[in-house]
Amino acid sequence: MDIAALITWVVTALGGFYMLGTWIRRGGIRQQQSGTSRLPAPVLFGHFALAAIGLVVWIIYVVADKSALAWTAFGLLLPVALLGFVMLARWIPVYRDRAAVAATPAAATAQGADGSVPAERHFPLPVVLAHGLFAVVTLVLVLLTALGIGGS
C-alpha cells in the first residue's frame, strides 16, 4: 500500500505542478498586487511546499519503513488538504465566471480593473478534478499505511 500511496502522491504532484506552472505563466504572482487572482500566493506556495516536504518524507518512509515517518507524512498532508480546500473554494467562483463569460460575454465580473482575468481561470477542469481525487486517495492510502492496514 505504501507504493500505491507513492504513485498516487506523484500523480497528484504532477497535476499540482501543472496548475502551479499555469498560474505563474498566466501572471498569478503579478496579479497579487492588483487583486485579480483569488489564490493568495502564501496559500498556494504553502500548499506546494508542505506537499513536497511530505512527499520527501514519504519516500524516506518507503525506503526506511519507520512508522514515525508514515505518521509525519500523514500529519503534513492534513494542512496540505486544508489549504487545497481553501484554494478550491476560492477557485470555484472563478471557474463559474468563466462558464458565465462563455455563455454571455457581458458577465465578466471576475476581471481585474485592467480587464485581465485571474490566472487560475486557465486551470482545466479535468486537471483540477483529477488533482483533488488523487489527493484524497493519497491521504486515505497514507492513513491506512500509517495504521498498519494492508501491510507496508
Side-chain angles (χ1 to χ4, degrees), residues 1 5 12 20-21 31 35 42-44 52 57 67 74-75 78 81 93 100-101 109-110 112 128 134 145:
M1 192 162 320
T12 303
L20 178 62
Q31 291 178 353
V43 173
L44 195 141
V57 170
S67 177
F74 178 73
L78 294 177
V101 169
T109 58
V128 173
F134 276 96
T145 302

Side-chain angles (χ1 to χ4, degrees), residues 5 24 69 86 92 115-116 137 149:
I24 292 170
L69 291 171
V86 166
I92 288 172
S116 63
V137 170
I149 298 171

